[in-house]
Amino acid sequence: MSEENIIVEINDGVCEIKFNRPDKKNAILGAMYEKFAKTMIDGNNDDKVRAFLICANGESFCAGNDIGDFLNNGIDFANSPQKKFFDSILQCEKPIVSAVQGKAVGIGTTMLLHFDINYAAENAQFSTPFVNLGLVPEGGSSLIFPMKMGHQKACEILLLGDSFGAQEAHSFGIINKIVAQNELYVAAKNVALKFANLPPNALKNSLALMRGNKNEIAAHIAKEGIKFGEAVKGEEARNAFMNFMMRKSK
Ligand code: COA
């Protein structure tokens, strides 16, 4: 990974973490999860950081896990960068705001379930095509999607891989606000700045009360992770990954 695939900046109490692999639609490599997780942990322990802003360069927020990485390295979830990534988000005691434009695929969508405020551009398009890829849902999505939208709708999204737009994401409660793409970053940054100016202890204690039982979610993510790791090695997934990698040469 180039150091610059994740850009970190801390200003005015906001730690901004920006995905910066736009030529690959911000598909995430192992080292990117590691840097993201370390930044979250460091920021959580740093009194100067009062809120996080997660955003992305380029036309898409995130095309999910890098498929080549899955093919080459598989995933042993218990020791994986993906687990560190989710743990760092679940253990964070400070508010997390996101700005989502374009495609948000797989973990590009599931990470949003754990943030506090998500803003999306009008062109945002979400999808979790896990089964299409021979995989199973991850990131707590098999628990949280049915709670948010009901079992039947969750089946369309998680099993059939149906994508959904910003309006639908808003109706599910995943997205707080839809804004024009050219206003997205500033709008989300302003929310993060607003958080950064609130009394930090009151904010931290309130968030802890509202976020509920993170251990239950972490346990569910771990359960999904075991099945996911097995699936990544399986024939169904390897065929799907190869098809993706070869699609331009067909
Ligand atoms: N892993 C690895 N590379 C990826 C990627 C991923 N998840 N998503 C996109 N890329 C790469 C493409 O291979 C392509 O690379 P290339 O220019 O070297 O050929 C580049 O990013 C641009 O992608 P492309 O597919 O040409 O852009 P698009 O605008 O037509 O489509 C997506 C964008 C996100 C819809 C499409 O790339 C896609 O479906 N990606 C896979 C998403 C996915 O299944 N993620 C895993 C979920 S578990």
Side-chain angles (χ1 to χ4, degrees), residues 20 29-30 39 43 52-53 58 104 114 147 155-156 160 175 190-191 198 202 206 211 230 234-235:
N20 185 40
L29 297 162
T39 306
F52 290 87
L53 174 64
H114 308 287
M147 288 192 311
C155 284
E156 288 181 349
L160 296 175
I175 292 299
N190 281 340
V191 178
L198 288 172
S206 303
R211 279 177 173 166
E230 289 166 2
E235 197 184 333

Side-chain angles (χ1 to χ4, degrees), residues 65-79:
N65 199 100
D66 187 278
I67 288 178
D69 216 15
F70 272 157
L71 261 177
N72 296 333
N73 302 319
I75 166 171
D76 166 17
F77 188 76
N79 302 303

Side-chain angles (χ1 to χ4, degrees), residues 21-25 27-28 59-60 62-68 70 103 105-107 129-130 133 135 138 228 241 244-245 247-248:
R21 202 181 171 220
D23 54 324
K24 299 291 179 187
K25 310 288 172 185
I28 310 179
E59 64 188 31
S60 282
C62 172
N65 199 100
D66 187 278
I67 288 178
F70 272 157
K103 300 281 195 297
V105 188
I107 201 165
F130 297 118
L133 288 167
L135 301 170
E138 46 80 309
F228 194 96
F241 297 159
F244 177 75
M245 304 299 277
R247 74 203 188 292
K248 285 186 179 165

Side-chain angles (χ1 to χ4, degrees), residues 106-107 110 128-138 141 157-158 161 228:
I107 201 165
T110 61
T128 48
F130 297 118
V131 175
N132 311 63
L133 288 167
L135 301 170
V136 300
E138 46 80 309
S141 56
I157 290 171
L158 285 178
F228 194 96

